[in-house]
Amino acid sequence: MCPVTTPGGPDVRPAGPPRSGGPRLPPGPWRSRRHRGAACAAGATALVALVVLAVVTRTGGGGLRDAGAAGGSGPVAAPSLPWPAQGQTSVSVEGFGARGDLGSHGAQRPVPVASVTKVMTAYVVLRGHPLGEHEPGPRITVDQRAADESVSGVESTARVDAGRALDERKLLELMLIPSGNNIARFLARWDAGSEEAFVAKMNRAARELGMRNTVYADASGIGAANTSTSADQLKLARQVMKDPAFRSVVAMPSTTVPGVPGEIHNTNTLLGQNGVIGLKTGSSTPAGGNLMWAATAPDRDGRERLVLGVVLHQRAGSSPQQGLEAAVEASRSLVEGVRSWVSANTPGKR
C-alpha cells in the first residue's frame, strides 16, 4: 500500500471544472517497484480529483453539475455569475430544463427572511380565494385592529380606515407593494379566522412545496422566527409566479389607498430595470437585506425566458435600510449576469 495525501478543509474550491479522467494505466500485472509507484501516483491523482469534485458538488456553489440530466455527458461548468460574497443566493431560468438550474451559493442554512414572508401569505390567500389577472375579487371591510396598526411607527404599514370596504386585490397590493404588515395580518384573519390558524396553513403549504428548511411564525415576517433558505424560497417563487393575479400585482411600481392622497411606491427599486418584473423585498436587523426577484430575458433565439432569484441575509446586523440596499445591489449584478448568459444560450445547446 502507498501513502496518499488528500486535500483538507471544507473551503477547497477548484478554479475551474476538474479535468475528465486521469493518467491511463496499461493493462497487465504490476511486478516492478517502478510500476507500483506509477500506480500509486495515478491512484492518488484520481482520488484527489474525486474528493475535489465531491466538495464542489456538495457545497452547492453553482460550480459544477451533472450534464447528463441536460443531455450532455459528464460534468460541465455552470455560468460564471457575480454571486454575493455574503449570505445565500439561488437562481434559475425557467424553460431551460436542468440547464436552467443555475444553483445556489452560500451555506443553505435557515435565516430570517423578514417581509419576503408575505410572498407565502399571498400564495395561501390566493389559493383559497383565487383571482383573475385583473379581477378585483370580493370586498372586505377593514377592521379596527388593521386601522389602528396602520399608524404604527415601528413597522412598515399601509394606511387604512376602519369600516371601509376594500377589494381583495387592493389589499394584496397594499401588502406586497409598500409591504404593509397590518394588511398581512388582516388578510390572515379574513382567510383563516386568526393569524395563528393562517400560519398553520402557511407551514402546510411550505411542506407541500418541499420547503423542508422553512418555518413561518407570523403572516407579515416581522418576527425573526420566520426562517428559510434561498433554495426553499426559490421553490415558492417558481410556484407563485404561475398565478396571474400575483404576477400582475408585484409588477406594479406603485398603488394608491382609497381616501389617502398620493401614491405608495414599491419597495423593490429594481422594477423596470434589466427586465425585472417583481417580486418582494424584506429587511430587518437580524435578517439583513433580502430580495426575491423575477426578470425576463431573451435567449439566443429571441424567446423571452423567466428568470427567478432569491438573495438572502445581506449585511445582517446592520440597519434594515443598509441591508436592503446591499440586497438590491447584489441582485442587480446577478440579473445582469444571468441575462447575459441567457442571451448566449438556448435550451439543450451549449
Side-chain angles (χ1 to χ4, degrees):
M1 180 177 293
C2 54
V4 176
T5 303
T6 59
D11 296 324
V12 177
R13 294 177 183 169
R19 298 177 181 177
S20 60
R24 291 191 175 183
L25 302 180
W30 299 95
R31 294 190 178 93
S32 70
R33 188 173 297 175
R34 179 179 179 182
H35 285 164
R36 284 195 300 271
C40 288
T45 300
L47 179 58
V48 169
L50 286 172
V51 170
V52 172
L53 178 58
V55 169
V56 174
T57 302
R58 289 175 64 86
T59 56
L64 297 174
R65 53 189 174 80
D66 185 2
S73 56
V76 298
S80 177
L81 296 176
W83 299 104
Q86 56 187 297
Q88 52 185 277
T89 307
S90 298
V91 180
S92 71
V93 181
E94 301 301 286
F96 265 60
R99 293 190 68 219
D101 182 2
L102 302 187
S104 296
H105 186 82
Q108 291 294 301
R109 59 181 180 82
V111 294
V113 294
S115 285
V116 173
T117 296
K118 295 183 178 80
V119 176
M120 178 59 86
T121 301
Y123 175 69
V124 172
V125 168
L126 284 166
R127 281 213 311 181
H129 313 274
L131 299 176
E133 183 175 3
H134 300 293
E135 182 184 355
R139 294 183 67 78
I140 308 162
T141 302
V142 176
D143 64 16
Q144 189 64 51
R145 181 175 174 183
D148 291 344
E149 291 174 348
S150 70
V151 295
S152 169
V154 297
E155 60 178 335
S156 61
T157 61
R159 169 76 182 276
V160 288
D161 298 322
R164 183 183 290 273
L166 300 175
D167 59 59
E168 179 186 346
R169 181 188 170 90
K170 176 59 69 174
L171 289 167
L172 288 169
E173 292 175 10
L174 296 179
M175 177 179 71
L176 293 168
I177 295 174
S179 201
N181 287 352
N182 59 322
I183 306 301
R185 292 187 287 264
F186 175 55
L187 281 170
R189 295 193 297 274
W190 170 69
D191 174 87
S194 70
E195 185 175 5
E196 292 75 17
F198 186 83
V199 169
K201 294 176 70 173
M202 293 171 72
N203 284 310
R204 283 197 298 272
R207 290 193 295 272
E208 291 169 5
L209 292 175
M211 300 167 66
R212 296 183 179 87
N213 294 308
T214 298
V215 174
Y216 292 107
D218 59 65
S220 68
I222 191 171
N226 296 282
T227 58
S228 188
T229 63
S230 62
D232 270 9
Q233 290 298 305
L234 187 61
K235 294 176 182 178
L236 174 59
R238 283 171 166 160
Q239 189 65 31
V240 76
M241 283 298 283
K242 296 175 183 177
D243 189 297
F246 177 88
R247 192 164 172 160
S248 67
V249 168
V250 295
M252 295 175 63
S254 63
T255 188
T256 57
V257 181
V260 179
E263 292 186 332
I264 300 174
H265 295 283
N266 201 312
T267 56
N268 180 7
T269 56
L270 289 186
L271 269 178
Q273 304 176 37
N274 292 313
V276 174
I277 58 172
L279 247 158
K280 186 70 189 77
T281 62
S283 61
S284 67
T285 296
N290 303 317
L291 180 58
M292 178 189 287
W293 50 263
T296 57
D299 66 17
R300 193 169 68 189
D301 293 336
R303 182 176 178 181
E304 289 288 334
R305 302 292 179 176
L306 177 64
V307 183
L308 299 170
V310 180
V311 175
L312 299 181
H313 219 48
Q314 301 298 297
R315 295 196 64 179
S318 66
S319 72
Q321 185 60 35
Q322 289 174 321
L324 182 56
E325 289 172 357
V328 167
E329 289 309 308
S331 297
R332 188 193 310 277
S333 297
L334 272 172
V335 170
E336 292 172 354
V338 176
R339 279 171 61 86
S340 177
W341 179 81
V342 172
S343 69
N345 287 273
T346 54
K349 299 179 183 177
R350 304 195 274 276

